[in-house]
Amino acid sequence: MSVSMDITELTNALRQDLANAAEVGGEGMKAAAERLLMALDPALRLTLMDALSQAATEIGAQLPGASVSVRLQGREPVFVVEGAPAAPEPEPEAAPAFDEEAGETVARITLRIPEALKARAEALAARRGQSLNTWLVGAARAAASDRPHYSSEGFTGLRGRHMKGWVR
C-alpha cells in the first residue's frame, strides 16, 4: 500500500509566513525573504523528507511484520507500507442462525483452502445448482456420517472403502 503526501502546501505556508514577517521591514526585506525562500526550497523539502523518513521508521517499528518507508515520486514523498496485511475486523456476533432443513443451530467458521480446490468445489456446486456454502455443508455432512457416499469418482462405502463400477 502506498500513500502520496503533497508537501507543496507546507512549503507554500512557510513561504507565506515568511513574507508576512518580512512585510514589517518594507519592500526590500520582503523581496530578500522571497529570494531566500526560493534558494531554501530544496533544503526545506529535504528536511521534511528526513523528518517523514524518521517518522516512518518509528511507525514501522510498532507494526509487527510490516515495514514503512518513504520514497520520492516526482517531488512528493510517498509512504509505502509492506509486509503483513492488517487483520480483518471481526464480524459482530449475531444471534445463532437456524438451519430449518437440518433442524439445528448453525455455526459460522472460516475455512482456508487452496484456490484450485475452491474453484473445483464452486464448479461442482454450480452443476448442482447450489451455493458453495450449501455444497460444502453437504460434503461435510457426508464425510461425517456413517452412510455411503456417491460421487463422480464412484462409491465410498462405510469406513472409507472406495469401489467403482456397476453392480447388478
Side-chain angles (χ1 to χ4, degrees):
M1 174 179 90
S2 64
V3 178
S4 182
M5 182 177 183
D6 184 7
I7 61 171
T8 302
E9 233 178 81
L10 297 171
T11 58
N12 287 344
L14 181 63
R15 181 181 307 236
Q16 187 60 45
D17 289 346
L18 186 57
N20 291 342
E23 282 181 4
V24 175
E27 283 301 313
M29 180 68 79
K30 188 175 176 183
E34 187 61 34
R35 285 192 304 270
L36 182 61
L37 248 176
M38 292 294 280
L40 288 177
D41 187 68
L44 177 58
R45 286 180 176 278
L46 187 60
T47 301
L48 286 171
M49 182 72 174
D50 187 42
L52 293 173
S53 294
Q54 288 178 19
T57 300
E58 290 179 27
I59 292 168
Q62 300 299 314
L63 298 173
S67 69
V68 180
S69 61
V70 179
R71 300 177 186 160
L72 278 178
Q73 193 171 51
R75 294 184 68 188
E76 304 302 332
V78 175
F79 285 97
V80 178
V81 180
E82 298 173 316
E89 291 185 29
E91 293 183 20
E93 291 200 26
F98 189 76
D99 183 357
E100 292 181 24
E101 182 182 318
E104 56 191 55
T105 302
V106 176
R108 178 181 290 255
I109 65 167
T110 300
L111 175 65
R112 289 179 177 84
I113 60 175
E115 275 295 325
L117 178 57
K118 179 180 179 267
R120 288 194 332 247
E122 287 173 330
L124 289 168
R127 271 193 248 150
R128 290 184 164 199
Q130 297 176 322
S131 69
L132 178 59
N133 186 72
T134 300
W135 187 87
L136 286 170
V137 169
R141 275 196 181 117
S145 74
D146 285 335
R147 291 177 288 148
H149 174 68
Y150 301 91
S151 73
S152 61
E153 298 291 315
F155 166 78
T156 303
L158 299 174
R159 295 181 190 82
R161 285 184 245 146
H162 194 73
M163 296 175 253
K164 285 190 175 188
W166 293 95
V167 176
R168 289 187 194 211

